[in-house]
Amino acid sequence: MTTSSSERGVSLGMPELPAPAYPDDVRARLETDAREIIARYPDSRSALLPLLHLVQAEEGHVTRTGMRFCADVLELTTAEVTAVATFYTMYRRKPSGDYQVGVCTNTLCAVMGGDAIFTELQEHLGVGNGETTDDGKVTLEHIECNAACDFAPVVMVNWEFFDNQTPATAKRLVDDLRAGRPVEPTRGAPLCTFKETARILAGFPDERPGAVEASGGAGPASLVGLRLARGETAPARVVHPREGASQDRDSAPQDRGAHEPSPSEHLSSHDAPQDTSASDPAHPAGPAAEEGE
Amino acid sequence: MTLAPELKDTSPEKLLAPVLSAFWDEDKSWTLDVYKRHEGYEGLRKALAMSPDDLIAYVKDSGLRGRGGAGFPTGMKWQFIPQGDGKPHYLVVNADESEPGTCKDIPLLFANPHSLIEGMIIACYAIRSSHAFIYLRGEVVPVLRRLHSAVSEAYAAGYLGQNILGSGLDLDITVHAGAGAYICGEETALLDSLEGRRGQPRLRPPFPAVAGLYACPTVVNNVESIASVPAILHRGKDWFRSMGSEKSPGFTLYSLSGHVASPGQYEAPLGITLRQLLEMSGGMRPGHRLKFWTPGGSSTPMFTEEHLDVPLDYEGVGAAGSMLGTKALQCFDETTCVVRAVTRWTEFYAHESCGKCTPCREGTYWLVQLLRDIEAGKGVMSDLDKLNDIADNINGKSFCALGDGAASPIFSSLKYFREEYEQHITGRGCPFDPAKSTVWADSRTEVNA
């Protein structure tokens, strides 16, 4: 968690100066994209969510500068844009890694092993929820149900599916990501960076050759019923990456005792108001820089 | 094709009825070519030969009901759109699949996106709409790619754009990616989100059919509902009604997950039972018993072993005290702590509550505090009544159903597993070992043995 503005001694009564604008060339390029996005909708304000994805594609997170850009092109106030940007969890409020690794810890995945995977990844990477590794490669998060319960436990990297994970396969995955080795999702395209993913979310199709076809058709679990209906014998046990299972023994969670929520997770800590990008001292668009000018 | 009386037969060939999933295993199943080879866009031709009003009546007569949870008749939703009002009409497809346990629309869109697009064209012709939207949750980029590709194929083939197939119908489809908010699966919150606002539900009336997107008449339908329409048109409403029951006709996707031998998608006539699904698919994982399950996601009250023979249709599940919901059959075996499961779901609802309505925003917060204490062995007996009381103060007392969904696991788990809660309190902690419920728990035991 970043420190709050009051902890840093910033006067709460001090009104923020407007965020600096993008440099002219960046702004011109983004305006072309923005016009294309706005043209998809009968009412321009509908373009706000994709525009926030667009500015996230530019900077890796939603900055005050990005929000000002959205406000300008849609003729909204920055307050209106901020209200929206802070409502949705996919908009990052601080610089993060190239690869967002999200471990599903909603009930089903958690019970099936998601909790163990998330715990082991935190230890393995030395980061907590929402934190980024020192090399800037991996941001670890726990995520909510991602509509792949028949592939549990599920890990998402930049919103591509890595199905049927174990602690061992998940650790290998993050090691590969940090080492720059190519990583392929079980369902989805070869990974692009978080910024490139955000551009697809803004509604600009992935133009990489083979991206749509990558990983083929439906995943194995999706076909179980179809195969049964055709009279094909049921697979004895459906596709869990067993090759990882034997290696799991050594890395099994040490604490097999009662399940206790960790103190840092207690008291709805994940629901506490997050800082906006405005209060991030590292970001040059923030008020700290402006006040020093 | 499977007829209702034949449901006595226990073979999967008789019990299952793949329609939407019929060619998911084919190479490039998501492309227009493969879809057309499987009679794709034939339903559209039949629809365009009818008058829009006749088309609405036809879909209504088929008995198709919403597959997103509430089960509202799809044709009736279309009929509510006022005609000749001079306003634009909109179709918005709810592809914000986020209900815990629910995993049917995402595989459907990944493997067969054209069934949705064809259904949307038919629906727009019926309700006289020339602009439709697919609101896809943002966290599923592989599906977004295939939707982008399918929409672009449909434009190139003349199924979208101006004067579709010479019918005079003009239609544009916009694919819109959300940004991470469970609440946007609620139809009015979805509309606010699509208008570029925080996803918060609206008070109804007015209903979206009267004042929806941009205050214009709007139909909001679930992916699977719309994707089921082309097959109904192509193969006929009588064929559709030959499956399922009088009030719950047709086929649907059941999503089996959790501690079962073969998790996955099973497309079957409405009314199949969990026992039938488990028997054909290898049952629970070897050596374990079913303890509790949800019929349609975490917001539907949980069931136990005693409900294995409940017909999984709208009436059957309703009569047994739950809801068919999204047919997300999450099965948990005896290694699973029900308090842990409910605590996690409740944390989810607290996190996803949009904050608009006080009972939901505050109530879910306090439920989490009590549940965490109980799970950690710090609860007292009076907490159990307090849980019930708080859930009762959320249920039915907010704008949308999120709060009701949060109350469901509390009520139902206390009803069936109160003793287990008490054990956590008297035993000062959780008696379960979470390691035993993981997918790899048993294989590890074997290796260690």
Side-chain angles (χ1 to χ4, degrees), chain B residues 266-310:
Chain B
Y266 296 78
E267 200 171 4
L270 280 157
I272 197 167
T273 65
L274 180 61
R275 187 187 300 282
Q276 288 172 320
L277 284 165
L278 286 175
E279 274 175 3
M280 74 170 74
S281 65
M284 299 298 286
R285 59 179 180 168
H288 294 278
R289 288 185 72 81
L290 177 65
K291 180 177 174 183
F292 63 98
W293 56 290
T294 68
S298 59
S299 301
T300 58
M302 66 174 65
F303 277 163
T304 64
E305 230 180 356
E306 66 182 275
H307 302 97
L308 273 167
D309 295 310
V310 170

Side-chain angles (χ1 to χ4, degrees), chain B residues 58-225:
Chain B
Y58 194 89
V59 172
K60 214 173 135 187
D61 289 348
S62 76
L64 173 64
R65 297 173 64 173
R67 303 294 194 237
F72 194 83
T74 304
M76 206 179 287
K77 240 184 191 179
W78 296 4
Q79 196 181 32
F80 286 155
I81 298 294
Q83 295 301 336
D85 56 347
K87 289 183 181 171
H89 300 167
Y90 296 107
L91 170 71
V92 178
V93 170
N94 184 345
D96 192 61
E97 183 166 66
S98 311
E99 167 78 7
T102 306
C103 50
K104 64 191 179 69
D105 296 337
I106 294 308
L108 168 59
L109 293 174
F110 190 63
N112 183 7
H114 279 286
S115 60
L116 173 67
I117 293 169
E118 184 183 1
M120 290 175 74
I121 305 167
I122 295 170
C124 287
Y125 175 68
I127 65 166
R128 287 85 155 176
S129 166
S130 59
H131 200 159
F133 299 84
I134 303 171
Y135 188 105
L136 176 72
R137 67 179 300 185
E139 300 97 324
V140 287
V141 172
V143 172
L144 181 60
R145 276 192 197 94
R146 296 218 167 144
L147 275 175
H148 281 154
S149 155
V151 167
S152 127
E153 279 185 310
Y155 270 107
Y159 294 117
L160 292 175
Q162 306 292 307
N163 192 21
I164 294 163
L165 302 182
S167 66
L169 171 68
D170 300 338
L171 178 62
D172 286 310
I173 289 183
T174 299
V175 180
H176 180 94
Y182 166 69
I183 187 68
C184 293
E186 196 281 333
E187 63 174 11
T188 61
L190 186 152
L191 292 173
D192 261 35
S193 178
L194 185 52
E195 289 181 3
R197 299 167 194 280
R198 295 164 79 91
Q200 294 191 316
R202 304 173 178 175
L203 191 61
R204 285 163 293 186
F207 288 91
V210 176
L213 188 63
Y214 316 126
C216 292
T218 303
V219 166
V220 185
N221 278 147
N222 170 260
V223 169
E224 191 191 344
S225 316

